[in-house]
Amino acid sequence: QVQLVESGGGLVQPGGSLRLSCAAPGSTLDHYNIGWFRQAPGKEREDLSCISSSDGSTYYADSVKGRFTISRDNAKNTVYLQMNSLKLEDTAVYYCATTFLCSEVGAGPMEYWGQGTQVTVSS
């Protein structure tokens, strides 16, 4: 069992930035592929990004490519999602998850995920 804890969400204006954090108390995150996904009310889950545990490969959905960046800080046992140039449609609850697979073409099934952090983009 891996407990994941997301933080860093909040209210931001369009064009602004936020950095989300994914921590795993009691586990070592660099052993896992980590992905970020989001879910907005009335919409399907959208897989956004992942970072591989083996070679650091990353994946980004077209909707966030060039705006979001995923990274690891193994010393802090944390994975980040830097979100820039935020848009109204980025409003959602954001989750991090361990995934069975992660490559440049996508993320595999999720195994564990956290409670999520709310991101609201509004003027």
Side-chain angles (χ1 to χ4, degrees), residues 7-87:
S7 62
L11 174 64
V12 63
Q13 291 186 338
S17 298
L18 284 173
R19 188 178 74 163
L20 306 184
S21 299
C22 175
S27 300
T28 303
L29 271 184
D30 64 1
H31 294 173
Y32 298 92
N33 302 315
I34 299 296
W36 285 95
F37 68 98
R38 67 187 178 192
Q39 186 138 31
K43 295 187 177 181
E44 292 188 358
R45 188 193 83 204
E46 182 180 12
D47 294 340
L48 303 176
S49 181
C50 70
I51 185 164
S52 168
S53 63
S54 59
D55 61 4
S57 298
T58 57
Y59 159 79
Y60 296 98
D62 288 343
S63 60
V64 303
K65 197 173 295 182
R67 299 190 298 126
F68 290 10
T69 303
I70 191 169
S71 63
R72 291 183 186 269
D73 185 335
N74 292 334
K76 295 184 178 180
N77 198 35
T78 301
V79 173
Y80 301 102
L81 186 69
Q82 177 68 43
M83 307 188 297
N84 298 330
S85 303
L86 284 162
K87 305 176 181 179

